[in-house]
Amino acid sequence: MQTLRYIALFFCVSISAATAQKAAQQEEWTSIFNGKDLSGWDIKIAGLPLNDNYKNTFRVENGMLRVMYDQYKTFDGKYGHIYYKKPYSYYRVRFKYRFLGNQTPGGDAWNVRNSGIMLHSQSAKSLSLGQTFPVSLEMQLLGGLGQGPRHTGNLCTPGTQMYMDGKLHPEHCTDSDSKTYDGDRWIMAEAIVLGDSIVHHLIEGDTVLTYERPQVGGGFVSKDSDWNAGHFSPEAAKFWTDRANTPLGEGYIALQAESHPIDFKEIEILDLKGCTDPKALNYKSYYVKSDNTQCRYKK
């Protein structure tokens, strides 16, 4: 009888351990767009004050976060971004996007079926009034034009720079090796961002670009293009100049408005920074950055 009790206890302990292990491995993705409204997001459009949603550029319809220009006559340099409220450092962010329709009159030729998601971005409230792009790493999204290859999931670097294969990579935009996606179909995109160490861009589950050691620096879009080109205030220009060549390890996530209509949906984030103590209730085995101030224990 005692032997049976030991066997039962062994199985209970084994089941409990297996359950705990499964819970630790279960990924807890968080939706950062509720599909109903723009709660939790800040808007900044060049030349306009914070949260002035000029001509209803950013809107929610049918569960989508839409960038629309039907109320515009001309684009008139109204580069805009919508920023999620919380900064992150180690994370995965995934979403679906699609381009549709025609570019808004007055948009630059290079912005046809062109948008992006900004990673490690400065906050919306820190932008200068006329600033066109935030200091950030842009995962550039491009749609095919039916005229041959046009990759998506590229990198552009407003106010930033990075390394590839151990060497500083000064180019403002770096092409990925993705497929070309013509038409108005939905595309799944993801970025895996590990602080100031390494970043991966994924399109439809395939890694299409990897780079390391993101930093502030390199001028606005190049060493020959100063901060005035991005309409930074003198104070902001000095702030970023003083931080040249310093690691860029955290920041905000922002979606771009560059004159071509685009829809986003299913925007989710998986935080990779958290409690790494296996004894804690909220331990996750997939965390790559420890922050044990977040640990919760049984009382």
Side-chain angles (χ1 to χ4, degrees):
M1 183 66 69
Q2 189 173 13
T3 300
L4 291 175
R5 283 199 293 268
Y6 281 135
I7 292 173
L9 179 61
F10 171 79
F11 277 109
C12 286
V13 171
S14 297
I15 291 171
S16 178
T19 301
Q21 183 180 29
K22 184 177 180 180
Q25 295 172 343
Q26 183 68 41
E27 294 181 347
E28 294 187 350
W29 287 86
T30 300
S31 177
I32 59 175
F33 167 56
N34 64 21
K36 300 176 182 179
D37 55 40
L38 299 177
S39 298
W41 295 79
D42 285 318
I43 295 168
K44 182 65 183 74
I45 296 174
L48 298 167
L50 182 67
N51 286 321
D52 184 336
N53 190 9
Y54 180 76
K55 295 191 180 297
N56 201 25
T57 303
F58 299 97
R59 65 187 74 166
V60 179
E61 295 177 354
N62 301 319
M64 299 177 292
L65 197 164
R66 314 195 75 181
V67 178
M68 302 294 287
Y69 296 97
D70 52 312
Q71 297 178 25
Y72 283 61
K73 290 185 178 179
T74 61
F75 182 61
D76 196 27
K78 292 293 190 297
Y79 289 98
H81 300 80
I82 186 167
Y83 300 73
Y84 187 59
K85 63 182 178 181
K86 180 181 176 182
Y88 291 91
S89 55
Y90 291 75
Y91 61 95
R92 293 168 60 186
V93 59
R94 66 187 182 191
F95 58 96
K96 292 180 180 177
Y97 73 93
R98 67 175 180 184
F99 291 100
L100 64 163
N102 297 314
Q103 185 188 26
T104 308
D108 290 312
W110 48 272
N111 276 329
V112 177
R113 290 186 174 256
N114 183 343
S115 188
I117 179 171
M118 321 308 274
L119 311 170
H120 280 354
S121 174
Q122 67 181 111
S123 67
K125 66 180 180 181
S126 70
L127 266 72
S128 302
L129 181 64
Q131 190 175 330
T132 49
F133 297 92
V135 173
S136 58
L137 305 165
E138 178 192 346
M139 181 178 179
Q140 185 190 51
L141 309 173
L142 297 179
L145 302 177
Q147 301 172 358
R150 196 178 193 226
H151 302 147
T152 188
N154 310 313
L155 171 70
C156 293
T157 54
T160 58
Q161 57 191 13
M162 55 76 178
Y163 284 71
M164 293 185 75
D165 300 320
K167 297 180 181 179
L168 182 65
H169 197 70
E171 287 81 0
H172 173 54
C173 289
T174 301
D175 230 10
S176 78
D177 60 3
S178 80
K179 298 176 182 178
T180 297
Y181 297 94
D182 294 309
D184 297 347
R185 59 166 290 186
W186 286 101
I187 308 297
M188 170 65 80
E190 179 178 347
I192 302 174
V193 185
L194 303 181
D196 60 7
S197 60
I198 193 167
V199 181
H200 304 283
H201 293 180
L202 289 76
I203 299 294
E204 295 292 332
D206 294 327
T207 301
V208 297
L209 184 66
T210 296
Y211 51 95
E212 308 96 29
R213 296 169 57 188
Q215 301 176 341
V216 176
F220 178 55
V221 295
S222 72
K223 290 183 177 180
D224 298 324
S225 178
D226 65 18
W227 300 103
N228 291 330
H231 302 284
F232 286 68
S233 69
E235 296 79 12
K238 183 179 186 306
F239 176 88
W240 292 110
T241 298
D242 290 346
R243 285 158 179 75
N245 305 315
T246 59
L248 183 62
E250 68 175 359
Y252 294 82
I253 293 166
L255 305 175
Q256 205 170 60
E258 285 192 298
S259 76
H260 201 113
I262 185 171
D263 292 334
F264 296 93
K265 68 178 181 177
E266 299 174 24
I267 310 167
E268 300 177 308
I269 193 159
L270 180 69
D271 202 343
L272 300 178
K273 179 180 178 181
C275 177
T276 56
D277 181 357
K279 297 178 181 178
L281 296 173
N282 57 333
Y283 162 71
K284 290 294 182 181
S285 60
Y286 58 80
Y287 287 145
V288 298
K289 182 67 173 177
S290 180
D291 180 4
N292 285 348
T293 64
Q294 298 185 27
C295 291
R296 301 194 311 270
Y297 300 91
K298 293 180 180 179
K299 294 181 179 179

